[in-house]
Amino acid sequence: MLLNRKVKSIGVDKWLFLKKFFRNPRDIGSIVPSSSSLTQKMLEPVMWDEISTIVELGAGTGVFTEAIHASKHSDCKVAVFEKDDEMRNRLQGLYSEFDFCKNAVELKKSLSDLGINKADVIISGLPFANFSQSDRSQIISQIKEILHEDGVFVTFQYSLQMKKMLQEEFAHMRIHLVPWNMPSAFVYVCRLKTTLVKNN
């Protein structure tokens, strides 16, 4: 019974994502939700026992949100950003203990309103390639301000368009290809400091 509900939920997510993509492909960025392989690679750098605050940008149907909910410890504070009202309201109903915000361009102010000054981890599903240069710069600049000096920023894109910008903005950046995603995705793992880098 639980498995059937899970399969049904996945189907609903895919149809919702498809509907949103055709209505606004610029903001959604993909025709299907992220795969389990991509989710695993995105959350691989997170030291769950050591973090107290995690921020997710561009949650969509909540593939990463669900994994964050399953992995975090009880005292970890979670803030989720999703611009689309329908998808954000749906996630808020599923994860009522999380804080939800709308616009990642207002990242710093929104987190400040929640009493969050620094984040240990920032996970992003934002389609930066579809954004204006101004919006990209504003969001990345705020990410650097919000991110704890020992923290990690992880994002994925479907191209290497963001490579140069992220290399210039972060002291350390590593890229991982996830071929078992549709389409194949590049995961960028970015840090403000190089001294803490181990395997990710």
Side-chain angles (χ1 to χ4, degrees):
M1 182 65 72
L2 288 175
L3 178 60
N4 290 337
R5 280 206 294 264
K6 180 69 173 178
V7 170
K8 182 178 180 180
S9 174
I10 291 172
V12 170
D13 287 353
K14 286 183 177 179
W15 280 113
L16 177 60
F17 211 81
L18 187 64
K19 178 180 74 172
K20 297 297 180 180
F21 176 82
F22 283 116
R23 285 184 179 178
N24 196 350
R26 186 178 183 85
D27 284 345
I28 301 301
S30 173
I31 201 167
V32 292
S34 302
S35 67
S36 58
S37 296
L38 179 56
T39 302
Q40 181 178 351
K41 182 57 71 172
M42 286 286 291
L43 298 181
E44 191 175 72
V46 181
M47 307 295 288
W48 294 105
D49 292 337
E50 300 177 11
I51 68 169
S52 59
T53 305
I54 183 168
V55 175
E56 182 185 6
L57 307 179
T61 58
V63 175
F64 300 156
T65 318
E66 180 181 9
I68 290 169
H69 182 264
S71 303
K72 76 174 191 69
H73 60 75
S74 58
D75 295 330
C76 182
K77 190 172 182 62
V78 181
V80 179
F81 285 73
E82 173 50 50
K83 191 174 182 179
D84 184 90
D85 292 336
E86 182 180 0
M87 291 197 284
R88 187 180 64 259
N89 290 337
R90 175 181 171 276
L91 291 177
Q92 198 160 13
L94 292 172
Y95 308 105
S96 58
E97 70 272 37
F98 292 178
D99 291 309
F100 285 83
C101 306
K102 183 168 184 175
N103 198 341
V105 175
E106 299 174 354
L107 175 62
K108 187 176 180 180
K109 181 183 182 305
S110 297
L111 292 180
S112 179
D113 290 344
L114 296 173
I116 299 175
N117 296 315
K118 292 290 181 180
D120 299 304
V121 178
I122 299 177
I123 301 292
S124 174
L126 295 173
F128 284 112
N130 295 345
F131 291 2
S132 67
Q133 182 59 48
S134 174
D135 283 351
R136 277 199 299 268
S137 296
Q138 284 188 62
I139 294 171
I140 296 298
S141 176
Q142 291 177 79
I143 286 171
K144 290 176 62 181
E145 287 188 66
I146 292 297
L147 192 64
H148 191 280
E149 64 174 1
D150 297 338
V152 59
F153 166 56
V154 188
T155 185
F156 79 92
Q157 302 291 292
Y158 297 115
S159 74
L160 294 174
Q161 180 178 335
M162 290 294 291
K163 180 179 179 180
K164 182 179 179 181
M165 181 180 187
L166 294 177
Q167 279 181 326
E168 291 174 349
E169 295 289 342
F170 291 88
H172 181 272
M173 189 268 294
R174 182 171 291 180
I175 300 175
H176 304 275
L177 174 64
V178 182
W180 306 115
N181 192 71
M182 191 176 73
S184 296
F186 296 94
V187 173
Y188 298 75
V189 182
C190 308
R191 299 178 187 272
L192 296 173
K193 295 171 63 176
T194 60
T195 54
L196 299 170
V197 176
K198 294 180 181 178
N199 296 322
N200 296 301

